[in-house]
């Protein structure tokens, strides 16, 4: 069974993505770009930016995994509680 996502939900998700993208871009830019005397991006600035983005992506992935683990634990606890409540005494 395929899940249908409404157009308004898609737009909302895309806006959230753009907000996050803009925030990460701004943070990494502010942390990494220091020299405005040249049009060229220095090697250390480029390396810093790449590391900044990688760190953010890894952090986001880790948070997502922990969030999923938490929900699995909560569902198991609810199922166990429902099993105990559903048994006759």
């Amino acid at each position: 069974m395929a899940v249908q996502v409404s157009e308004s939900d898609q737009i909302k998700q895309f806006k959230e993505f753009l907000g996050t993208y803009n925030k990460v871009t701004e943070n990494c830019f502010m942390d990494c770009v220091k020299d405005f005397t040249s049009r060229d991006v220095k090697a250390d600035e480029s390396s810093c930016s790449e590391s900044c983005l990688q760190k953010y992506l890894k952090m986001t992935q880790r948070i997502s995994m922990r969030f999923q683990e938490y929900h699995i634990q909560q569902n198991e606890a609810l199922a166990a509680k429902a099993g105990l409540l559903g048994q006759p005494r």
Side-chain angles (χ1 to χ4, degrees), residues 6-49:
S6 72
E7 186 175 341
S8 64
D9 285 341
Q10 290 177 352
I11 291 170
K12 181 181 175 187
Q13 288 175 347
F14 188 66
K15 284 182 179 180
E16 288 174 4
F17 165 77
L18 286 178
T20 301
Y21 173 82
N22 287 336
K23 193 180 309 178
V24 170
T25 301
E26 182 179 358
N27 288 340
C28 292
F29 180 85
M30 297 299 285
D31 287 346
C32 297
V33 179
K34 303 294 181 196
D35 182 6
F36 295 97
T37 61
S38 170
R39 289 179 165 234
D40 297 328
V41 176
K42 307 280 188 232
D44 59 331
E45 292 172 335
S46 181
S47 175
C48 176
S49 296

